[in-house]
Each structure stands twice: as structure tokens, then as C-alpha cells.
Amino acid sequence: NEIGDEGGEAISEGLQRNTSLKELNLNSNEIGDQGGEALAKALQTNTTLKVLRIELNKIGDLGCKALDRQSGDLDELDMEDNEGEVWLGEDSSLAANNIFQGHTKVINGVCKLDSATLASASDDHTLKIWRWQRNTCLHTLTGHTDGVQGVCRLNASMLASASKDGTVKIWEWRTKTCLQTLAGHTGRVRGVYRLNDSTLAIASDDGAVKIWEWVSGMCLHTLQANTASIECVCRLNATMLATANNLGTVKIWEWRTKTNLYTLAGHPSAITCVCRLNAKTLASASVDGTVKILAWQSNTCLHTLATHTELVTGVCRLNATKLASASSDKTVIIWNWPNGTCLHILAAAGSVRGVSRLNGYTLVSASDDHTIKLWKAKSAATSTRSRSVLVTDTRSSRSSRSTRSFLHSHSRSSAVL
């Protein structure tokens, strides 16, 4: 059985006594508000824990807010993909805060690396590493021979970049070192997505998705969807992913067995981006100018979000009820996706190619005018705390008794539960 609220309370008791544990991974469990609040209580007295990963659980607003309030001593807090996350209220407004310039061509994507750093990918064949709170470019990563289509974080020091040159490169971004070049597709690589600590998925216009062990550079599986270009890929859970193609179709895969479980006819035109919203729901963005909210297990379209006037280039989850979409109509729109309402329209100077969440009050967008724009809540100007968001996918189970005993006697610096 996976760890639930009772296990979370047992872990909390252990953390209040433990003085050696530096990192705790509780991803992909069943911890809810009760367990989240118990863990927050432990953080009041435990000052040695520096990294808490609690992604893909069932913590609601109460638990997430309690954890956020007590996380001042943490270097990294991961609460992605829970039932509730700290994000702006519907009455909050966003304003352009900073504009980063440095790329010489269209910027295709951005992603967060840690609480102070983000990466951007451009048609100028480079990636740039930015200290976003200081508007400073730290590094430029060169090596691709064509435009860089996408970028994703792998761990605290590494990222992956996807390029039109048909390769994905693995970088140690602080030293600007390319560690691996993954080559195997016969077409341009459209996107890359981290699946777990050692594995990533690559989408290509050759009609295939390849699953790679990025440390060894070994291709583990090839998911051959059809002859249509695979435009994007995203993780749904520890064993499943979604792909979307230029025919408007979303496919759901069990990637370890290469099994296509569901096929969703989502849009009449090419899909540009797909992202997970919760355990049963995903969002797809399309050339048709809409975002669709899809219940993928029942093949049901819950809402069609149709405020954009041109193609939608990207979509990202903000919390349990909010998402952001980017469009070539020069806007970013914030939506309440469960009821299909538009909350905010942010006007940019150029066509927006991608959007990403940095923290509970900041978004970043990439544009074809060669700039990156930071959007920050006006009401959050005095807030100084931000947390890095990690993506980890490690699953195991322990009883409450063994969990409590494990933490009480644990002398190593990290634990995965």
C-alpha cells in the first residue's frame, strides 16, 4: 500500500526526532491534507531537512498552504501535481516585471531549473541560463546545429535540450558541459520530457516517441504511434504518458510495455502542447486556437477554452484549478479550467511561444521577438520567498510502523519512501 495520511503522521513524528536526514522523497503516494499538515508541523522543529519532495500526492489547499508557511528552512520544496497548490487568487492581477534579452532568434521554450534560475531554448541554436530574479544571463550552451525546440530539467544540475537537428543533449548546465548526445530519430525532435530520475521521453516528427535512459545514453523503447508528426509528450503518472500529433490526436501509453491504452480525437487541427492537470485530466493546446480539457480515461471533452484568436502554442498547469495558455495572438491567458472561465489576459509584445510557472506568484513566457518576459502578481511585490520545483517519480511503500522506525534510526542524508 502507498503511504497515506497515517503514514504522513508517522513520518512527521520521526522527523521531529531525526537530526541527520537532509532529503526526503515522498513522491507518488496517497498523502492528503491531514498528512500534509502533520509534515508541516514537523518542519516547525526540524531544521536539518533541506529537500522535501511530495509531488503526485493528494494534498489539498490546507496541507499545501501549511507546508508553504513552514518551509522557510528548506532549500527545495516540491508540491507539484497535488490537489491544491499555492497560487494567486482569482482577484489577483499580474503585470510584466522583467524582460530578458540575449537570444538573436525566436525563443521556443523556457523551464525552471531552481528557485533562482531558468533555461531558455532558441532557434539561434543555443540555450541560455538566466538568474531570473536579477535579470542576468549566467551561461550560454552551444552545440546544437539547428534550432532548439525545447528544454526540460532533469535534476539539480542537469537539463535536456531537444533540437531540430534530430538530437537531444544532456547538459551539466553550471559547467556548460554536454554529457550525452541522444541520436536515434530520423526527423526533427519536437520535445523532451523527464519521466523519472533516470528516464526521459523524446517526441519527433518521424512519428515516434523514444524512451531513453539518459545517464547511460541507452534507448529503452520506441513507441511508434503512426506516420504523423509527434508534436509533444508529457507524463501522466509513474507508468503512463500522453503524446499528441499534428492530426489533432492524443494517445495514452503505458510506456514500459509500449501499449497504446487510449486514443483521444481532441482537435480538428494539429496539437502543439499537452500537459497533465490531475490524475484523470489533461489539457491540449492546438493550432485551431483552443485549449481542450480532456478526461482521458473516458475520452470526454469537459471544456473547450476558446478566447485566443490565433493558434495556441503552449499550456502549463498552475495548480489544481488554474492553467496558463500561450498564443501567437500575443497573449497569455490564465484560466479556471474546471469551470472553463478566463480569469486574466496578459498582453505581450510578440507571438508567445511558451509559458511556464516559476512559483506561486510568477510566470515566465517566451516570445518570437527574442525576449523572455516575467509576469509577477502585483500583490506579491513584497514577497521574497520562492521554492524550486523538482520532478521526481520514485514509488515504494512502507507501513506506518516501519516508516516511523526507519526515520527514527536513519543515519543517512536522504530517504525515498
Side-chain angles (χ1 to χ4, degrees), residues 15 18 20-27 46 48-53 74 76 156 197 390 392 406-407 410 412-417:
L15 285 174
N18 188 287
S20 62
L21 195 67
K22 304 296 184 184
E23 180 177 335
L24 179 59
N25 186 333
L26 295 170
N27 287 342
N46 185 310
T48 58
L49 188 70
K50 295 302 177 185
V51 177
L52 175 59
R53 298 171 179 167
L74 293 176
E76 298 171 353
D197 285 343
L390 310 178
T392 315
F406 176 79
L407 284 170
H410 194 58
R412 292 180 299 168
S413 61
S414 65
V416 178
L417 299 176

Side-chain angles (χ1 to χ4, degrees), residues 6 43 49 53 147 154 161 203 207-208 238-239 257 263 293 336 359 364 369 386 400 407:
E6 184 179 352
L43 295 179
L49 188 70
R53 298 171 179 167
L154 297 178
S161 59
T239 62
T257 61
T263 298
I293 308 303
N336 181 312
N359 58 34
V364 62
D369 65 2
S386 61
S400 299
L407 284 170

Side-chain angles (χ1 to χ4, degrees), residues 180-252:
Q180 292 273 9
T181 297
L182 310 180
H185 285 286
T186 58
R188 295 181 296 178
V189 174
R190 294 289 188 173
V192 59
Y193 199 98
R194 180 188 186 276
L195 297 178
N196 57 39
D197 285 343
S198 61
T199 313
L200 56 78
I202 301 173
S204 170
D205 64 9
D206 64 10
V209 172
K210 290 184 180 290
I211 310 299
W212 293 80
E213 187 179 77
W214 54 267
V215 176
S216 66
M218 179 185 299
C219 181
L220 303 177
H221 307 293
T222 298
L223 312 182
Q224 192 67 45
N226 48 39
T227 57
S229 170
I230 307 299
E231 300 296 313
C232 52
V233 59
C234 79
R235 184 188 68 174
L236 297 177
N237 57 37
T239 62
M240 298 171 68
L241 60 79
T243 63
N245 63 30
N246 64 349
L247 302 179
T249 301
V250 176
K251 288 182 178 289
I252 310 299

Side-chain angles (χ1 to χ4, degrees), residues 332-349:
V332 173
I333 295 182
I334 311 299
W335 305 85
N336 181 312
W337 64 262
N339 61 29
T341 57
C342 171
L343 302 177
H344 309 287
I345 298 178
L346 312 178

